[in-house]
Amino acid sequence: MKPLCGAALLLLLLCAAAAAQNSCVCLKNKRVTNCRMESGQCRCDAIGSGATVDCNTLTSKCLLMKAEVMGSKSGRREKPKDAFEDTDGLYDPECENSGAFKAKQCNGTTCWCVNTAGVRRTDKHDTDLKCNQLVRTMWIIIEMKHAERDTPLNAESLKKFFTETITSRYLLNGRYITNVLYEKPYITIDLKQNSSEKSSDDVDIADVAYYFEKDVKGQSIFHNNVGLNVSIDNEPVKLEKTVVYYVDEIAPEFSMKSQTPGLIAVIVVVVIAIVAAIVVLVLTRRRKGKYVKAEVKEMNEMHRGLNA
């Protein structure tokens, strides 16, 4: 039996070695499983969708969002009773086989149309909604605010840092970085990429912005889980707020109804300002009237005194 046991152990070791040789680590995306080498390339299955992803480049935002939603639903460990999750902007998307967002997204019986960044660009409707095309996001504006500091950062050094970081860390061709503007304490990065410019080998600016935003917020998607350390002229810079704006090739289709709350708020502020101005004016006139009456009374008394 010993020779048979030895042969079985050797076979097991050979299988383990072969499996290890065929396995790999997806450095660009930690939200994957079943990683393997195919034709010299590391490929894995995205969590939530099972779509095959190429680990040499960024994973599409649609697949990343789907993996994030599945992770939040999995309940791998019990959360503290006071813990809560920021789900603003996060939903379980429908993705094409290519990883792109489907133009129509739904949450139960509520549906809406999205752009290539997966951002809603219409009002919400029922399931009869028609989204004829996936409208391209051609311009993404990333606006950041750094912590309070006595002296401004060097604008040229800041521009160099973000340009080199976006091209090397997120693999975006530098020609799509059209502007890096610094106006203390705000940093604004413009990424522009229309459908005619983007080639099949180019990463999408929507994916870049998503990776970037997660890095800045300390929620890195990269395997090493190390976020973006912003350092300008060897000085660490703390970012307090990051907002991403989207501009599509076709204007969004929001109705006035969706803008009603904001419009009402503006009207309320204006009305309050007008009422306050009227109150001040009335009080001022009353005080002035009392002063005039007192002055007239004093003059009459003086006249009576002289006549006496």
Side-chain angles (χ1 to χ4, degrees):
M1 290 294 291
K2 287 185 178 180
L4 290 175
C5 289
L9 180 61
L10 179 60
L11 181 61
L12 183 63
L13 290 173
L14 288 173
C15 290
Q21 187 176 8
N22 193 44
S23 65
C24 58
V25 174
C26 192
L27 298 177
K28 296 286 192 297
N29 185 1
K30 65 183 180 183
R31 298 173 184 164
V32 292
T33 186
N34 189 29
C35 294
R36 68 273 179 191
M37 295 297 294
E38 293 182 357
S39 303
Q41 304 290 332
C42 183
R43 301 189 186 280
C44 305
D45 297 336
I47 293 174
S49 64
T52 301
V53 299
D54 180 0
C55 293
N56 290 326
T57 189
L58 303 187
T59 303
S60 73
K61 181 180 176 181
C62 189
L63 295 180
L64 291 174
M65 284 178 60
K66 195 165 191 68
E68 187 174 352
V69 170
M70 293 303 295
S72 67
K73 290 179 179 178
S74 63
R76 287 187 291 271
R77 64 184 180 88
E78 186 179 355
K79 306 292 189 301
K81 65 182 182 64
D82 294 328
F84 63 94
E85 183 181 6
D86 180 8
T87 57
D88 185 36
L90 181 64
Y91 61 93
D92 187 3
E94 289 292 325
C95 309
E96 302 284 2
N97 293 333
S98 63
F101 286 95
K102 290 188 176 182
K104 180 179 177 180
Q105 298 290 333
C106 297
N107 182 10
T109 58
T110 304
C111 299
W112 60 92
C113 301
V114 301
N115 55 22
T116 52
V119 178
R120 183 167 66 89
R121 49 173 280 109
T122 66
D123 295 329
K124 292 184 177 181
H125 299 270
D126 57 25
T127 54
D128 292 332
L129 175 68
K130 302 296 182 184
C131 302
N132 297 323
Q133 62 174 316
L134 182 66
V135 178
R136 174 151 192 83
T137 298
M138 64 175 183
W139 181 11
I140 292 181
I141 305 163
I142 305 172
E143 184 181 86
M144 297 164 283
K145 180 182 179 182
H146 65 62
E148 193 66 34
R149 50 182 292 119
D150 296 331
T151 57
L153 298 167
N154 183 287
E156 286 303 316
S157 299
L158 182 143
K159 181 177 181 179
K160 180 181 179 183
F161 171 83
F162 282 108
T163 301
E164 291 180 350
T165 297
I166 292 172
T167 54
S168 61
R169 185 174 176 85
Y170 308 109
L171 310 177
L172 183 67
N173 190 313
R175 67 194 180 105
Y176 298 128
I177 307 171
T178 59
N179 191 29
V180 178
L181 178 66
Y182 177 54
E183 297 173 308
K184 182 178 183 267
Y186 294 99
I187 304 166
T188 305
I189 302 174
D190 290 324
L191 306 178
K192 292 184 179 181
Q193 182 187 62
N194 60 42
S195 52
S196 61
E197 292 175 323
K198 185 182 180 301
S199 70
S200 58
D201 296 328
D202 286 327
V203 294
D204 196 288
I205 58 173
D207 301 337
V208 172
Y210 192 68
Y211 268 81
F212 184 90
E213 187 177 9
K214 289 294 184 181
D215 266 349
V216 170
K217 292 181 177 179
Q219 304 167 2
S220 180
I221 297 167
F222 290 101
H223 176 75
N224 57 18
N225 207 33
V226 176
L228 178 64
N229 295 315
V230 180
S231 178
I232 309 300
D233 293 331
N234 298 319
E235 180 184 357
V237 176
K238 181 182 178 182
L239 300 176
E240 294 183 334
K241 185 180 180 181
T242 302
V243 182
V244 181
Y245 300 94
Y246 304 88
V247 180
D248 295 344
E249 290 184 343
I250 300 175
E253 301 170 6
F254 294 111
S255 66
M256 285 301 294
K257 183 179 179 181
S258 64
Q259 301 172 24
T260 299
L263 186 59
I264 291 174
V266 172
I267 292 173
V268 169
V269 170
V270 172
V271 169
I272 291 174
I274 292 172
V275 170
I278 292 173
V279 170
V280 170
L281 182 62
V282 169
L283 291 175
T284 302
R285 286 186 173 180
R286 282 183 178 178
R287 288 173 183 172
K288 187 176 179 181
K290 288 180 180 179
Y291 174 75
V292 171
K293 288 179 180 178
E295 190 178 50
V296 170
K297 182 178 180 182
E298 289 175 359
M299 289 294 293
N300 289 335
E301 289 178 352
M302 288 175 64
H303 282 298
R304 282 197 295 268
L306 290 171
N307 294 330

